[in-house]
C-alpha cells in the first residue's frame, strides 16, 4: 500500500515500517498514526508476515516525538483524545502475537521513545538518543511513556528521565535496560529482521501466549499467573506442541505450523 508518511516493505517475510518524515525528524503527526495503524493491521491480518520492524528514515532520527506543530490550540478534551488514540495504537503493538522490534537509528524522543517502548524489543546504535523531554514543553508523556519507562528501567530511573527531560545515548540506554541490544546503525534493520526470524522458527501460538502472559503482569485486574496457566494449557491443545515434543525426542528440528 502507498502511504504518505511511512514506507512499508516486506523483507524475508518481515514487515519493515519506516517512518518517513525525515525533514521533521520523523515526528509523529496524525497521519503517521493513521498510517501506522493500517500497517499494524496488515501485520495482524497477513498470515505470511512473521513480524515487524519499525525504524526511521535517514540517519538522524527514529522519531523526535509527537508533532509539536499539532499542539497549537490543543485543549484538555483534544489532549485526552490524542493520548487515547496513541495509547490504543501502542497497546496494539505491545499485544501483537507476532514480534515487533524497534530499530532506533537516532533520536527517539517523546512519542518516538514511547513508540520504541511499545515494541517488544529495541535495538539501537551507541549514539542513538533516547529521552522523554515533554516537561520542557510543559506537558508529560501521553502515549504510555510514564508507564512503560517505569516498567523497563525502574521507578528511580524513570523519575530521573521524565523529571529532567534529559537525553541518554544508546550505550546508556542499553546499560539501564531500555535497549535490548546494541548494533551498528547501518545494519540495525537487518539485525532486527534476524531477531524476528529466530523467533519465527519457534511455535507461533506459544509466542502469542508469551506475549499475553508478560503483558498480563502490567494489566490491572488481570492475574498474570492465571494467564500463564491458561496459556500453558492452551499450548497442549496445539499440533505444534506435539510436533515440538516429538521433534525433541526424535532428535530433529521441529517444523511448526502455527496450529
Ligand atoms: N515536532 C515537530 N517538528 C519537529 C519535531 C517535533 N517533535 N522535532 C523536530 N522537528 C522539526 C524541526 O521543527 C525542524 O523543522 P524545520 O526544519 O521545518 O524548522 C526539523 O524537524 C529539524 O529539527 P531541528 O530542531 O532543526 O534539529 P536540531 O538538530 O537542531 O535538533 C532535536 C534536534 C531533536 C534536539 C530538536 O528537533 C528537538 O528538540 N525536537 C523536539 C523534541 C521533543 O520535544 N519531542 C517531544 C515532543 S512531545
Amino acid at each position: 500500500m502507498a502511504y504518505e508518511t511511512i514506507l512499508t516493505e516486506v523483507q524475508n517475510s518481515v514487515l519493515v515500517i519506516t517512518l518517513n518524515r525525515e525533514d521533521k525528524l520523523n515526528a509523529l503527526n496524525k497521519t503517521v498514526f493513521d498510517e501506522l495503524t493500517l500497517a499494524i493491521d496488515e501485520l495482524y491480518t497477513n498470515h505470511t508476515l512473521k513480524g515487524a520492524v519499525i525504524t526511521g528514515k535517514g540517519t538522524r532520527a527514529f522519531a523526535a516525538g509527537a508533532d509539536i506543530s499539532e499542539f497549537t490550540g490543543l485543549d484538555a478534551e483534544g489532549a485526552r483524545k490524542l493520548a487515547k488514540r496513541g495509547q490504543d495504537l501502542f497497546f496494539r503493538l505491545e499485544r501483537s502475537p507476532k514480534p515487533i522490534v524497534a530499530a532506533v537509528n537516532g533520536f527517539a524522543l517523546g512519542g518516538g521513545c514511547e513508540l520504541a517502548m511499545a515494541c517488544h524489543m529495541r535495538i539501537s546504535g551507541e549514539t542513538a538518543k533516547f529521552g522523554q523531554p515533554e516537561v520542557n514543553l510543559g506537558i508529560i508523556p501521553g502515549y504510555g511513556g510514564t508507564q512503560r519507562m517505569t516498567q523497563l528501567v525502574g521507578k528511580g530511573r524513570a523519575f530521573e528521565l521524565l523529571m529532567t527531560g534529559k537525553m541518554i545515548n544508546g550505550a546508556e540506554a542499553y546499560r539501564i535496560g531500555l535497549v535490548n541490544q546494541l548494533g551498528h546503525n547501518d545494519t540495525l534493520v537487518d539485525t532486527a529482521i534476524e531477531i524476528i526470524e529466530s523467533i519465527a522458527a519457534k511455535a507461533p501460538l506459544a509466542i502469542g501466549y508469551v506475549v499475553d502472559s508478560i503483558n498480563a503482569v502490567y494489566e490491572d485486574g488481570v492475574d498474570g499467573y492465571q494467564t500463564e496457566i491458561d496459556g500453558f494449557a492452551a499450548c497442549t491443545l496445539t499440533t505444534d506442541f506435539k510436533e515440538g515434543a516429538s521433534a525433541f525426542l526424535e532428535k530433529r528440528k521441529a517444523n511448526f505450523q502455527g496450529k
Side-chain angles (χ1 to χ4, degrees):
M1 190 185 294
Y3 295 107
E4 187 190 322
T5 60
I6 63 172
L7 300 169
T8 57
E9 62 172 326
V10 176
Q11 282 185 44
N12 299 6
S13 303
V14 174
L15 182 66
V16 179
I17 302 170
T18 304
L19 305 168
N20 187 28
R21 300 184 71 217
E22 194 175 352
D23 59 330
K24 297 292 179 192
L25 301 184
N26 303 318
L28 308 171
N29 66 10
K30 288 198 177 93
T31 310
V32 175
F33 273 99
D34 289 343
E35 295 188 341
L36 258 181
T37 302
L38 293 174
I40 297 303
D41 282 349
E42 190 186 340
L43 175 68
Y44 268 82
T45 56
N46 182 337
H47 297 298
T48 67
L49 292 172
K50 295 174 176 172
V53 176
I54 303 181
T55 193
K57 185 85 189 296
T59 55
R60 296 204 59 212
F62 174 76
D67 191 317
I68 298 168
S69 69
E70 291 184 345
F71 287 178
T72 316
L74 191 65
D75 61 11
E77 193 47 37
R80 280 183 193 285
K81 283 191 183 139
L82 191 72
K84 179 79 171 58
R85 170 93 179 81
Q87 290 196 8
D88 285 348
L89 172 60
F90 289 3
F91 275 133
R92 205 155 155 71
L93 295 173
E94 188 171 54
R95 292 171 182 165
S96 161
K98 299 178 193 176
I100 304 182
V101 177
V104 178
N105 54 313
F107 290 113
L109 303 176
C113 189
E114 292 173 290
L115 170 60
M117 291 194 294
C119 297
H120 298 122
M121 288 170 230
R122 289 143 293 287
I123 61 172
S124 86
E126 294 201 1
T127 57
K129 290 271 190 286
F130 292 83
Q132 297 289 162
E134 285 87 349
V135 288
N136 294 328
L137 303 170
I139 51 169
I140 67 167
Y143 302 150
T146 60
Q147 308 302 295
R148 291 194 182 94
M149 185 66 83
T150 310
Q151 292 162 9
L152 285 167
V153 305
K155 193 171 174 183
R157 289 197 170 106
F159 274 132
E160 182 184 342
L161 285 167
L162 273 69
M163 290 171 89
T164 66
K166 73 178 182 183
M167 285 188 224
I168 56 171
N169 66 23
E172 176 66 0
Y174 174 67
R175 195 184 71 78
I176 66 173
L178 182 55
V179 159
N180 295 74
Q181 188 176 315
L182 290 175
H184 295 289
N185 275 341
D186 44 2
T187 54
L188 285 179
V189 170
D190 293 338
T191 307
I193 289 172
E194 280 167 22
I195 292 171
I196 289 170
E197 285 184 306
S198 75
I199 296 168
K202 319 296 175 196
L205 295 172
I207 298 297
Y209 290 122
V210 166
V211 171
D212 289 349
S213 299
I214 290 180
N215 283 331
V217 175
Y218 304 103
E219 284 179 28
D220 268 353
V222 175
D223 178 348
Y225 288 97
Q226 188 58 48
T227 305
E228 183 181 285
I229 288 174
D230 294 342
F232 182 71
C235 286
T236 64
L237 304 174
T238 66
T239 308
D240 282 348
F241 169 59
K242 292 175 187 64
E243 165 64 8
S246 306
F248 177 80
L249 295 173
E250 292 161 18
K251 300 191 186 307
R252 61 176 174 80
K253 194 171 175 293
N255 179 18
F256 294 120
Q257 305 290 328
K259 291 179 186 158

